[in-house]
Amino acid sequence: MTVVRHFSEDQARLVCGMALCSDAKWDATQSVAIGEPTEAALVADAAKLGFTSEDLDEANPRVGEAPFDSGRKMMSVVNLSPDGEYVQTPRRP
């Protein structure tokens, strides 16, 4: 699975947000994303643009998570940024 197109005026913010909402991780030694295929595609896309999950997680550590819920049909994560806590865009399966 691969991301082929972005629909955003702020591509960097979009790909960073997608990667931060993912549980997949970038393996720099093998240049591959490890994890569930959809999430791995998002992390690989961010890495292709220079945003590795390791760097993103270090700069914006995850401090909270609302796990996937079938009623909400999404999960949400909270990351700590230099400006304080903020909620990333909810992730849908």
Side-chain angles (χ1 to χ4, degrees):
M1 192 169 291
T2 305
V3 174
V4 295
R5 192 178 291 164
H6 300 111
F7 294 95
S8 175
E9 291 183 16
D10 189 344
Q11 183 173 320
R13 185 173 182 181
L14 174 68
V15 298
C16 289
M18 291 188 306
L20 284 168
C21 287
S22 173
D23 288 328
K25 298 296 175 201
W26 181 251
D27 182 344
T29 61
Q30 297 183 25
S31 296
V32 65
I34 307 297
E36 190 272 330
T38 302
E39 294 184 4
L42 301 176
V43 167
D45 186 48
K48 183 171 56 174
L49 296 172
F51 304 105
T52 66
S53 55
E54 182 178 341
D55 292 340
L56 289 171
D57 290 342
E58 185 177 318
N60 306 278
R62 188 179 291 186
V63 295
E65 177 178 321
F68 178 80
D69 178 273
S70 59
R72 290 181 353 130
K73 296 184 179 161
M74 70 177 74
M75 72 163 294
S76 301
V77 297
V78 179
N79 295 83
L80 186 62
S81 75
D83 300 329
E85 292 183 14
Y86 63 101
V87 178
Q88 290 292 340
T89 306
R91 179 180 69 190
R92 294 183 188 266

